[in-house]
Amino acid sequence: MRSGTGHSKQRRTLLEHLAATDTHPTAAEIAEDMAARGTPVSLSNLYRNLEILVASGEVVRLSLEGGPDRFDANVGPHYHVLCKDCHRLWDMPLREGDRFGHPIPRGFRLSSWEITVRGRCAACAKVRHPFQA
């Protein structure tokens, strides 16, 4: 986490909250959790502060199909693993030597890349369809 210079108290609290979790919460989940911890925040302020943190590079927005945006304070290089059934999202560290190795158009300046591995987690894989033998 960066030093937080120039951050409002609410923004620092939000950044600390995100840094302390690995669940990649939605804005609604963040608001609910902060309220439960005694630091309620309005959704409009929460979204504004999330936008500022994303723009400053201190938080990553994950826009995954079929659901609301999720937020990650882990801005270091890593992949994500997503269960398509329960929608749990895990960080997966890069292996040594992992890098973006695909050809890109001449003159294109790569600023970021992400990989999300999708499948079924072990818990969801155990659940069988009621009509399957």
Side-chain angles (χ1 to χ4, degrees):
M1 175 172 39
R2 295 186 185 166
S3 66
T5 336
H7 284 179
S8 68
K9 181 179 179 185
Q10 192 172 62
R11 201 169 306 129
R12 274 193 312 274
T13 301
L14 174 58
L15 190 54
E16 289 167 1
H17 175 77
L18 282 170
T21 183
D22 62 358
T23 63
H24 307 82
T26 65
E29 290 168 338
I30 294 168
E32 183 179 306
D33 193 44
M34 289 181 78
R37 293 172 186 248
T39 53
V41 59
S42 73
L43 278 178
S44 62
N45 280 339
L46 179 64
Y47 279 111
R48 183 177 55 78
N49 283 313
L50 284 169
E51 289 299 325
I52 291 168
L53 291 170
V54 168
S56 71
E58 295 175 88
V59 169
V60 175
R61 175 196 323 272
L62 301 165
S63 297
L64 303 169
E65 64 279 347
D69 289 349
R70 295 163 81 170
F71 298 90
D72 189 359
N74 179 357
V75 295
H78 64 283
Y79 303 127
H80 288 106
V81 177
L82 173 68
C83 177
K84 297 187 313 180
D85 291 345
C86 69
H87 306 288
R88 183 165 176 207
L89 190 64
W90 291 267
D91 286 342
M92 183 172 78
L94 298 178
R95 296 170 301 167
E96 188 169 330
D98 281 353
R99 62 179 178 78
F100 187 84
H102 300 281
I104 56 175
R106 177 171 290 189
F108 184 85
R109 294 214 158 112
L110 181 66
S111 61
S112 68
W113 56 284
E114 70 179 58
I115 293 176
T116 302
V117 178
R118 291 166 175 78
R120 295 178 82 200
C121 70
C124 290
K126 288 181 183 178
V127 177
R128 301 189 77 146
H129 191 279
F131 301 111
Q132 289 181 331

